[in-house]
Amino acid sequence: MADAKTYLNVPYAEKDAAKALGARWDAAVKKWYVPANKDVALFVKWQVESGLGQLPNGEAKNSKADSVVGGTTRSSDKNFVAYDGDEPPWD
C-alpha cells in the first residue's frame, strides 16, 4: 500500500495552496491527492470527511454529487414538475 493515494477535496480557489504543500493532480480521477512521501497531516483541511468514506475511484460516498445528474438536481417528491422556463408548470 505504499503507492496508495489519499485524495483531497480541494476547491479550485485553493489549488495553489495545496500544490505548494506538495499535493499532486490526478488527471484520470480529476482530484488532488497526497503523494506517499508527504505528511498527510499537512492536508487535513482538504481531506475527505471521515463519515463519508471513499470509493476506489477517489469519489466520496454519499456526497452531494449523488443527487445531481448533468447539473440538474433531482427531487425526491414524486409529484415534482420541473420548470423548463417556457411556461409555469401550474398553468
Side-chain angles (χ1 to χ4, degrees), residues 31-73:
K31 283 201 167 269
W32 288 92
Y33 68 93
V34 181
N37 62 343
K38 294 289 179 182
D39 182 13
V40 192
L42 295 172
F43 304 92
V44 70
K45 175 180 180 179
W46 301 297
Q47 288 182 3
V48 177
E49 297 156 9
S50 60
L52 296 178
Q54 202 167 3
L55 297 172
N57 66 357
E59 295 295 322
K61 292 180 186 174
N62 300 325
S63 68
K64 291 178 186 173
D66 290 343
S67 63
V68 177
V69 174
T72 304
T73 305

